[in-house]
Amino acid sequence: MFHLSQVEHTLRVPPDVLNLPLAEAIKRVLETIFVDKVIPNVGLCVSVYDIVSIKGGFILPNEGAPTYLVVFRVILFCPAVGEVIEAKLQRSIDTGLQLSLGFFDDIMVPCKLLPKPSNHQPDPEMSGGVKWFWTYQNQQQYYIDSHDKIRFKVVDVKFREVPAEPATEKPFAPMVVIGSLAYDGLGPVSWWVDEAESEE
């Protein structure tokens, strides 16, 4: 789910941080640029891990600050396909579920990847939302709600290009994790705890 990646970046260090030691100043500027941002086709930057090398320090014409060529390592979030993760329910609509890890909210479970057969009904607690449930052996209904951790399997990680025109309907998500609940042991954790207890 998390991994280290090495990045090379040409960095301008503004005057307001030049009173700090050089490595500290550079790390602070790198954090403002990269942390909580998605690096295309690599992942979401969670933290600047360390600085490998710093070269340069030249001042370009008409610039009042030095520029450096910095090689550094970042901690990235990018789950592998097939990985099983636990998250919380963020939103439930008729097209599926949106899950959250707290620091990353763009996890989508489309309705075709919910346990079969699954259906939904209006949820009075959520304006315009629905509550999904799985019907087991045509009798027992297991509900998916926000009171439980949800275990899902990663089936895809999609990186999107930033649109030329800013979207007005909903925030743009440069990285989306597609998950599935359609395997044994997946879904709300309580489903399987209850099942294990009933077998004992």
Side-chain angles (χ1 to χ4, degrees), residues 175-192:
M175 181 175 100
V176 177
V177 175
I178 307 298
S180 172
L181 307 187
Y183 298 89
D184 288 347
L186 302 182
V189 174
S190 63
W191 287 0
W192 305 102

Side-chain angles (χ1 to χ4, degrees), residues 7-14 17 25-40 43-48 67-68 70 72 74 76:
V7 180
E8 182 177 284
H9 185 69
T10 301
L11 182 73
R12 177 183 177 275
V13 181
V17 294
I26 286 176
K27 186 173 183 180
R28 183 174 296 186
V29 177
L30 289 172
E31 287 173 342
T32 62
I33 296 172
F34 287 93
V35 172
D36 206 26
K37 306 291 192 307
V38 171
I39 300 175
L44 172 70
C45 180
V46 177
S47 175
V48 176
T67 298
Y68 297 89
V70 184
F72 59 101
V74 291
L76 294 165

